[in-house]
Amino acid sequence: MEAMRVLLVDDVHLERMQLAMRLQRLGHVVEAVGSGHEAIEKYPLFDPDLVLLDISMPDMSGVDVAKQLRLQHEEWVPIIFLSGHDEPEMIAKAIDMGGDDYLVKPVNKIVLASKLKAMQRIAHMRHKLKEASVQLEQANERLSQQVNEDGLTKLANRRHLDQKLAELISMHGRNNFSLTIIMIDVDHFKPFNDYYGHLEGDRCLQLVAGELKSTFSRAGELAARYGGEEFVVLISNCDKTQAVRECERLKQCIKKLEIPHSKSTTSNIITVSQGMVSWVPTGLETPENMYQIVDKVLYKAKEQGRNRFVAAEFT
């Protein structure tokens, strides 16, 4: 059984040192302190598996120390009270006050060794549970990522986009902030896919998505795959003037990718068209009607020759 980290709290120096040596001889790591205040200070730093706590101390009683530890730290760690009293009523009261066991001083060697074996089993189970909890949390994070992430581009998927847009509409409506939606379409993607093949088509979308993710990575920004070769960017607290700058910045970022497109009638490299709407929500808008509005201005950008952006007149 693995060694425990034991926090020993006793105001009597000689008794503290004697018990600390016994614990060390049994193979445990010991932090021995002489007051309740020291115990509270050392506890988070030492991270014990077991607390041996004198119930009668002048500065702060063991009962008060136990209460503080239970209040300040969510994770349960067993506390064994130490006392010179062996009356049943005293033992019962100590357990009621937050202790998990009770040892009478001077502590019998055989009793001490037996109690520690029991505590080692508990510590072992605690460590196993902590490991399982961490693994479960990691698994939940991976699952959440899979649920909210588009498999090909690794951007947020449509489900997560809808949820986030609804939240932002509500939040910006309450606070009277401007919200921006940019819908992006890869120009002439079908002829690109037909000519270069689906693998290159996927790679093209991944490169564009990577640029979106790095360009819009600040707090309050979300880049998502809307569907097919269409993407959506949400930008919090962003008015039309700033949104125009963001659209221009994105246009230049896509240009720098220099993805060849010999079948485009717009350019010899991949370009994108963008529709943008910036407005102060009322809080009553839905993602669906906002997509409809921004999709219409995206269509205008395509009609006007592509490789450009158009801003909605939205009031």
Side-chain angles (χ1 to χ4, degrees):
M1 197 74 74
E2 62 191 51
M4 290 187 295
R5 299 172 64 81
V6 182
L7 179 60
L8 171 60
V9 191
D10 194 326
D11 64 307
V12 181
H13 178 76
L14 182 59
E15 292 182 358
R16 183 170 72 247
M17 291 302 99
Q18 288 175 338
L19 186 51
M21 284 189 288
R22 280 196 204 174
L23 294 166
Q24 288 166 344
R25 281 198 293 267
L26 290 168
H28 302 293
V29 179
V30 182
E31 180 72 38
V33 298
S35 72
H37 294 294
E38 284 182 275
I40 290 169
E41 184 180 333
K42 287 281 186 182
Y43 185 94
L45 303 174
F46 184 60
D47 190 24
D49 298 303
L50 172 66
V51 179
L52 293 179
L53 180 57
D54 189 8
I55 204 167
S56 302
M57 295 184 290
D59 72 320
M60 187 178 189
S61 75
V63 169
D64 289 335
V65 174
K67 284 181 180 177
Q68 285 296 315
L69 293 178
R70 297 298 192 212
L71 284 172
Q72 293 176 14
H73 305 281
E74 290 184 5
E75 186 181 355
W76 175 83
V77 170
I79 295 173
I80 297 180
F81 281 124
L82 304 171
S83 176
H85 299 279
D86 62 355
E87 297 87 354
E89 294 79 14
M90 177 64 77
I91 296 172
K93 184 178 179 183
I95 301 301
D96 288 341
M97 292 294 107
D100 299 291
D101 209 334
Y102 192 94
L103 280 170
V104 178
K105 298 195 296 185
V107 180
N108 180 278
K109 291 181 182 180
I110 297 173
V111 173
L112 176 64
S114 298
K115 297 278 188 184
L116 291 175
K117 282 182 182 178
M119 292 298 140
Q120 278 180 286
R121 288 195 286 266
I122 292 172
H124 179 71
M125 290 302 298
R126 281 183 57 249
H127 292 165
K128 288 291 185 184
L129 285 170
K130 283 173 73 172
E131 289 173 10
S133 179
V134 169
Q135 290 171 0
L136 180 59
E137 189 175 335
Q138 291 172 343
N140 284 336
E141 285 178 6
R142 289 193 296 270
L143 181 60
S144 176
Q145 187 177 29
Q146 290 169 1
V147 167
N148 294 324
E149 184 179 85
D150 176 65
L152 176 66
T153 64
K154 305 307 178 185
L155 295 179
N157 60 18
R158 176 65 183 274
R159 173 186 174 279
H160 187 51
L161 172 66
D162 292 350
Q163 180 183 345
K164 192 66 177 178
L165 180 53
E167 291 173 3
L168 290 176
I169 287 171
S170 177
M171 187 268 284
H172 284 66
R174 289 195 305 272
N175 294 283
N176 203 36
F177 292 156
S178 292
L179 175 61
T180 290
I181 305 175
I182 305 171
M183 185 172 280
I184 302 125
D185 184 80
V186 179
D187 293 329
H188 308 293
F189 183 72
K190 187 178 185 305
F192 179 95
N193 216 25
D194 291 343
Y195 182 72
Y196 292 99
H198 293 296
L199 289 178
E200 282 302 307
D202 287 350
R203 180 174 173 273
C204 171
L205 294 178
Q206 288 169 339
L207 289 171
V208 171
E211 205 61 39
L212 287 170
K213 193 168 188 176
S214 61
T215 303
F216 301 100
S217 59
R218 295 166 293 191
E221 297 178 341
L222 178 72
R225 188 180 185 189
Y226 185 73
E229 67 271 23
E230 289 188 323
F231 302 89
V232 167
V233 170
L234 306 178
I235 310 177
S236 295
N237 200 17
C238 176
D239 62 18
K240 186 176 179 180
T241 301
Q242 181 187 344
V244 167
R245 291 198 296 267
E246 298 295 342
C247 288
E248 181 59 39
R249 185 163 72 103
L250 176 58
K251 179 182 175 182
Q252 296 307 317
C253 287
I254 299 299
K255 182 180 178 181
K256 288 178 184 176
L257 289 174
E258 295 185 335
I259 304 171
H261 191 351
S262 61
K263 296 301 178 181
S264 172
T265 56
T266 301
S267 171
N268 61 354
I269 60 173
I270 283 288
T271 59
V272 296
S273 299
Q274 304 174 65
M276 177 265 288
V277 56
S278 295
W279 88 111
V280 178
T282 63
L284 301 176
E285 299 89 345
T286 66
E288 289 73 21
N289 60 38
M290 295 313 304
Y291 294 145
Q292 289 173 2
I293 292 169
V294 75
D295 185 59
K296 286 179 182 177
V297 289
L298 172 61
Y299 186 75
K300 288 181 182 179
K302 293 179 185 179
E303 280 189 323
Q304 293 174 19
R306 303 178 189 259
N307 190 25
R308 68 192 65 233
F309 56 87
V310 173
E313 297 300 325
F314 189 90
T315 56

